Amino acid sequence: GVQSVEVAGRYAYLNTSTGFSIIDISSASNPFRVGVVSFTNGGMRRGFLDGSYYYTGNATTGLLYVIDVSDSKNPRVVSSNAVIGTTPYNTVVVGDHAYVSAQGSNLIKIFDIANPASQSTVGTINVSSPQFLETSGRYMHVGTNVGTSYIYDIANPASPSKVSTYTTSSNTYTSMRATGRYLYAASSVGNLVAFDVLDQNSPRLVSRINGSSNSSVALDIVGKYAYLLTATRMWVVDISGIETNALYT
């Protein structure tokens, strides 16, 4: 199934459990695939596009794959040597560093990617069942599947420091997006919650929308709307008034 989608210019970068595709979306009514990288061992997870490179973990091999996408018709793997751990789930990139959550190994691995073809491990964060990662400035938000979330200061990638711990719910958060002072999180049971993280030391729950009983697949924020994709439909939430948001189905 689809693990992640990112759009940049005329292309959409699609990561599935079995491969990676680049889709030309210059014509909204006629998108077509222009490039592909197949992975016979499967296991591809949520990736991250950074300039001319796409970074993604593989749950089967436990490795970090770096794909050169500078030629959209011929994407190619330039590195697959960095060891992440068991069940890598999500990858984010900040500057010259990639952060990858390894749920099965209970850790987040930090890699120096200044040279995309040859990464080196610079740090590790021990976290129980980490899944989704979201960054905002010098901070990284970590969602787990055990009802707890964390905020880390990653100003020094070699030595991240935990800023706060807060209970979210008994549900897994499948996607997170940070914008301004708020962190939005979609849960495994289709809820959308908003936290005020202006004070990173003391996150505060400000809103909860029970949108669906189906598991959330993806979340994105564009302007004053949150787009929540579940297994059966997409919900659109007006977030311009956090305390009194409106739900459109």
Side-chain angles (χ1 to χ4, degrees):
V2 176
Q3 299 296 317
S4 60
V5 179
E6 290 201 50
V7 175
R10 64 183 291 174
Y11 298 111
Y13 300 84
L14 179 67
N15 207 22
T16 73
S17 56
T18 58
F20 169 79
S21 297
I22 301 177
I23 312 296
D24 188 321
I25 56 172
S26 54
S27 172
S29 62
N30 185 36
F32 60 95
R33 186 168 66 180
V34 295
V36 63
V37 177
S38 298
F39 294 93
T40 56
N41 57 1
M44 303 311 292
R45 293 294 184 176
R46 295 173 185 257
F48 192 95
L49 178 67
D50 183 57
S52 297
Y53 295 95
Y54 188 85
Y55 300 82
T56 181
N58 184 290
T60 302
T61 64
L63 301 176
L64 176 65
Y65 286 75
V66 183
I67 303 172
D68 185 337
V69 297
S70 56
D71 181 353
S72 59
K73 295 181 179 179
N74 296 288
R76 61 187 181 90
V77 175
V78 296
S79 176
S80 59
N81 299 318
V83 178
I84 303 168
T86 306
T87 321
Y89 188 88
N90 188 201
T91 302
V92 297
V93 173
V94 181
D96 288 335
H97 295 89
Y99 300 78
V100 189
S101 59
Q103 182 184 345
S105 296
N106 296 314
L107 57 81
I108 298 169
K109 208 73 169 286
I110 306 168
F111 298 98
D112 185 327
I113 56 170
N115 178 1
S118 179
Q119 310 88 39
S120 58
T121 302
V122 298
T124 299
I125 304 173
N126 295 313
V127 180
S128 179
S129 298
Q131 287 197 321
F132 208 86
L133 309 177
E134 173 75 345
T135 59
S136 179
R138 64 183 289 172
Y139 298 103
M140 180 171 67
H141 302 270
V142 180
T144 74
N145 70 347
V146 293
T148 303
S149 292
Y150 305 92
I151 299 177
Y152 284 86
D153 185 330
I154 56 172
N156 179 4
S159 183
S161 59
K162 185 163 61 177
V163 175
S164 61
T165 301
Y166 57 105
T167 300
T168 48
S169 77
S170 59
N171 302 310
T172 301
Y173 281 109
T174 56
S175 187
M176 289 180 168
R177 287 290 183 267
T179 175
R181 65 185 290 170
Y182 296 106
L183 174 72
Y184 299 88
S187 79
S188 58
V189 294
N191 295 333
L192 175 66
V193 298
F195 294 91
D196 185 335
V197 292
L198 182 62
D199 181 358
Q200 302 283 347
N201 293 287
S202 183
R204 181 173 60 91
L205 177 66
V206 295
S207 182
R208 181 189 300 273
I209 288 279
N210 297 319
S212 168
S213 60
N214 295 302
S215 177
S216 303
V217 176
L219 169 68
D220 204 1
I221 306 293
V222 181
K224 69 173 187 175
Y225 295 106
Y227 297 85
L228 177 63
L229 181 66
T230 73
T232 59
R233 67 193 308 179
M234 183 174 74
W235 302 86
V236 183
V237 182
D238 185 338
I239 57 173
S240 55
I242 294 299
E243 304 291 345
T244 56
N245 26 41
L247 176 65
Y248 305 93
T249 61

